[in-house]
Amino acid sequence: MKKIIPIILLLAAAASAQVLPAVSFSLNQATNPEDVATSLQIVFLITILTLAPSILVMTTSFVRIIIVFSFIRRAIGLQTMPPDQVLVGLALFLTFYIMSPTFTQINDDALQPYMAKTITWDEGIAKAGEPMKRFMLKQVYEKDVALLMRIAGKTPPQTAMEIGFDVLIPAFMISELKTAFIFGFIIYLPFLVVDMVVSSVLLSMGMMMLPPTTISLPFKVILFVLIDGWNLIVKQLVGSFF
């Protein structure tokens, strides 16, 4: 786990830097143990690449953003508008925007020096993991890290940077879920007030058979538009990472 994450970060930095490496592939019969080891490394690398999208999504700002967007849609009462593809696309572009300084630092400190052969592979892996650790440490809750350290039976490190990815990543994901749900609760409140007002008005008029959501939906939509809701949500979301 300690090396998988930096490897994926190096690949992401290479993609963002528009690096186009030359690739050659051939199949020959293995004649010594070194060839077998190389083949196993290739299989391991291919396995990592299949998991890379999931790992990148779970170790960046994507989790918080997409959950908050889902809360917005449900709070308004729109089941499929905006469509999932639109929300995921917007969340991805915001994730690239938020993670751009981190990926740029990985590219400058790890990828480019390694390609210039000024540092070794192990040094590049270590340098690639440091910016990502600093990003996650800014967002993670201390008690979540302490919980996982206690469950794993590990001794608390002297500094935060000594926390391994095997502890930091799940702690980061738990913290992101908590933060996203806090955002969701705050978002739900004004729309809940609208639903309560509409329900009270319909009840006072004796229109008990008319679903309140049918009447409150257009009011919630126009309220969200009038307050420039997307601007406010994106502003708060992006600002919460800096």
Side-chain angles (χ1 to χ4, degrees):
M1 177 65 73
K2 292 182 179 180
K3 289 192 174 183
I4 291 177
I5 303 303
I7 289 173
I8 295 176
L9 296 178
L10 283 174
L11 295 174
S16 63
Q18 297 182 352
V19 177
L20 300 177
V23 178
S24 61
F25 183 77
S26 62
L27 297 175
N28 298 312
Q29 185 177 0
T31 58
N32 53 65
E34 288 78 8
D35 293 338
V36 176
T38 302
S39 300
L40 293 176
Q41 290 176 357
I42 293 175
V43 173
F44 181 65
L45 179 60
I46 293 175
T47 303
I48 292 175
L49 291 177
T50 59
L51 299 176
S54 297
I55 295 177
L56 280 175
V57 162
M58 295 302 174
T59 56
T60 60
S61 58
F62 181 83
V63 174
R64 183 187 305 182
I65 296 172
I66 193 63
I67 291 177
V68 171
F69 284 171
S70 298
F71 268 112
I72 294 173
R73 188 167 65 178
R74 291 184 177 275
I76 297 176
L78 300 170
Q79 300 300 321
T80 58
M81 293 299 292
D84 291 336
Q85 294 86 344
V86 175
L87 292 182
V88 171
L90 179 57
L92 283 174
F93 278 107
L94 288 176
T95 298
F96 291 145
Y97 174 78
I98 294 169
M99 300 301 299
S100 178
T102 302
F103 288 151
T104 300
Q105 186 176 358
I106 293 173
N107 178 66
D108 295 340
D109 296 346
L111 181 61
Q112 295 303 325
Y114 174 74
M115 294 181 64
K117 299 182 179 180
T118 57
I119 60 174
T120 64
W121 172 255
D122 291 338
E123 291 175 340
I125 293 297
K127 288 181 178 293
E130 291 178 1
M132 204 65 187
K133 270 190 178 182
R134 284 194 290 269
F135 169 78
M136 288 191 286
L137 286 171
K138 289 181 180 179
Q139 313 302 326
V140 73
Y141 291 101
E142 183 178 349
K143 64 178 182 180
D144 293 330
V145 176
L147 171 65
L148 293 173
M149 294 287 290
R150 185 169 61 254
I151 292 175
K154 295 184 177 181
T155 304
Q158 297 296 326
T159 62
M161 291 299 294
E162 295 178 4
I163 300 174
F165 280 111
D166 57 335
V167 172
L168 183 57
I169 290 178
F172 171 77
M173 293 174 61
I174 295 173
S175 300
E176 286 296 282
L177 289 174
K178 179 180 179 180
T179 304
F181 273 67
I182 292 174
F183 269 91
F185 172 75
I186 297 173
I187 290 170
Y188 252 99
L189 287 180
F191 298 109
L192 180 61
V193 171
V194 174
D195 285 333
M196 294 176 62
V197 171
V198 171
S199 298
S200 300
V201 172
L202 292 178
L203 185 61
S204 64
M205 296 174 63
M207 303 174 66
M208 294 177 291
M209 300 301 295
L210 181 64
T213 55
T214 304
I215 305 300
S216 64
L217 178 58
F219 285 101
K220 289 189 289 186
V221 171
I222 193 61
L223 173 64
F224 192 72
V225 172
L226 289 176
I227 65 174
D228 200 2
W230 288 112
N231 183 283
L232 293 175
I233 294 298
V234 170
K235 178 181 178 181
Q236 294 299 321
L237 272 176
V238 175
S240 65
F241 288 98
F242 295 99

